[in-house]
Amino acid sequence: MSSRLFRPLIVLAVASFALAGCSRDDSASHKAAAQAATAQYVAVARGRIDIEGGLLKLSFARDGVVADIKVHEGDHVRKGQLLSALDTEPARLAVTSAEAEQKQAEAQAKLLESRIKAATQRAERLTAAAAAGAGDSQSADDARENAQQLQGELDNAKASAAMAAQKLAGAKYELSQRSLLAPVDGQVVQRQIQPGALASPQSGPAFVLLPDQPRIVRAELNESFVRAVTPGMQAEVADDSGSGMPNLTAHVLRIGTVFGASTLEDDPLVRANTRTVECVLSFDQPPPASVRIGQRVLVRFPPAGTDTKAAPAQ
């Protein structure tokens, strides 16, 4: 081989060895940096913003046609406020009928009470007359029997009045089931019905309500970190969705006792093979309004004694 050809080969070989050495050095430095960053925390977990109990999905308790809608998405409602109502005409007719039956039974009972009073007085007079020899005992016996018979009719009338009262209460309850009320204070985040539509308990929620409750974090703690995290432990909550949320501080409320598959892992293969425990955290201070339910976050648990300070809210 000529010296002209051999000289470039030597240069190329030297360059290749140099690049390989640089690549190994870069890989080692990146790995060391990653280990150093991980060493700052005893555990790291993915999580999402939530509230205790989650969002409320409200459905009508009975079948019917939507007659009126009182609120819209984004409205803030109070506990007991009317959200929507079904057609109430059949239920109102049932209430009216039950009220009429109750009034009739009560009127019958009052009439029998007055008749019993008169029959009892007559029986007492005839009994006294028979004892004095001024009347016959048969008439007295007939009067007493008539009073007893009326008493039996009065007992039946009172039972009918009680049944009518129960029927009326049931009719009023059924009428109330045609109205959908807010169970708690909160914000309407979804409305899924329209006037004139047929609604039923099986047709899905009519409204989705966000209760006025403090935000929490539900983190998925990998099984390898379970023993490193304890209730009361401080944590840093960082943005994991690109929303620009400032770093916040929180503390561990409780740690679950049941392992389950990850729901926040995007890779299906990793999700199927990862076992996690739910870790619930409470914010040390109310998060800014820009923090929304369902937003993904990264929860980092520094060693005990570390001063965790959140970035100022923007």
Side-chain angles (χ1 to χ4, degrees):
M1 182 179 294
S2 66
S3 60
R4 292 183 179 179
L5 294 175
F6 183 68
R7 190 175 301 166
L9 290 176
I10 294 176
V11 174
L12 181 60
V14 172
S16 299
F17 280 115
L19 288 175
C22 291
S23 177
R24 285 194 296 269
D25 292 342
D26 290 344
S27 177
S29 62
H30 284 309
K31 185 176 181 180
Q35 290 176 347
T38 305
Q40 298 178 7
Y41 306 99
V42 297
V44 178
R46 286 182 171 179
R48 59 184 175 85
I49 306 297
D50 201 356
I51 59 172
E52 288 283 3
L55 299 176
L56 281 176
K57 297 181 179 180
L58 307 178
S59 302
F60 283 102
R62 298 291 185 270
D63 298 343
V65 177
V66 179
D68 194 12
I69 298 176
K70 296 294 187 180
V71 296
H72 305 279
E73 292 185 0
D75 289 351
H76 190 273
V77 296
R78 296 293 183 184
K79 181 179 179 180
Q81 182 176 339
L82 178 63
L83 304 180
S84 181
L86 301 176
D87 180 18
T88 58
E89 189 60 25
R92 289 186 183 279
L93 290 175
V95 169
T96 302
S97 177
E99 287 176 342
E101 290 183 17
Q102 184 185 31
K103 290 179 180 180
Q104 183 179 13
E106 291 175 347
Q108 181 68 19
K110 289 181 180 179
L111 177 62
L112 288 171
E113 285 176 351
S114 61
R115 290 179 61 187
I116 287 174
K117 184 178 180 180
T120 301
Q121 291 176 350
R122 183 171 182 275
E124 290 174 353
R125 288 196 300 267
L126 290 175
T127 300
D136 61 298
S137 59
Q138 184 62 43
S139 298
D141 292 340
D142 291 342
R144 285 195 297 271
E145 184 178 353
N146 182 49
Q148 292 174 356
Q149 191 174 28
L150 290 173
Q151 182 62 49
E153 293 180 8
L154 176 60
D155 293 340
N156 289 335
K158 287 183 177 180
S160 298
M163 291 178 63
Q166 292 182 354
K167 185 177 180 180
L168 176 59
K172 288 182 177 179
Y173 175 76
E174 287 299 320
L175 177 61
S176 68
Q177 294 302 293
R178 268 66 183 176
S179 298
L180 187 58
L181 308 179
V184 295
D185 295 353
Q187 183 183 19
V188 179
V189 296
Q190 274 189 337
R191 192 196 84 181
Q192 300 180 357
I193 55 173
Q194 296 290 344
L198 181 63
S200 71
Q202 295 77 29
S203 61
F207 296 92
V208 178
L209 192 67
L210 173 60
D212 289 344
Q213 294 184 9
R215 278 20 175 195
I216 61 173
V217 177
R218 294 189 186 276
E220 293 183 346
L221 197 62
N222 190 281
E223 57 186 338
S224 61
F225 293 139
V226 170
R227 293 187 178 182
V229 179
T230 57
M233 192 172 183
Q234 291 296 121
E236 299 174 1
V237 181
D239 182 29
D240 193 33
S241 59
S243 65
M245 182 191 83
N247 288 352
L248 303 170
T249 61
H251 60 275
V252 178
L253 286 179
R254 59 183 181 271
I255 301 173
T257 57
V258 179
F259 281 105
S262 173
T263 60
L264 298 176
E265 177 59 52
D266 296 326
D267 189 335
L269 184 60
V270 176
R271 184 169 60 245
N273 293 280
T274 301
R275 310 300 292 173
T276 63
V277 169
E278 184 181 72
C279 177
V280 179
L281 302 96
S282 174
F283 287 105
D284 295 333
Q285 295 180 345
S290 59
V291 176
R292 289 176 168 80
I293 301 300
Q295 183 172 331
R296 290 195 174 192
V297 294
L298 189 65
V299 183
R300 300 186 291 243
F301 301 88
T306 304
D307 185 17
T308 56
K309 293 183 179 180
Q314 297 178 351

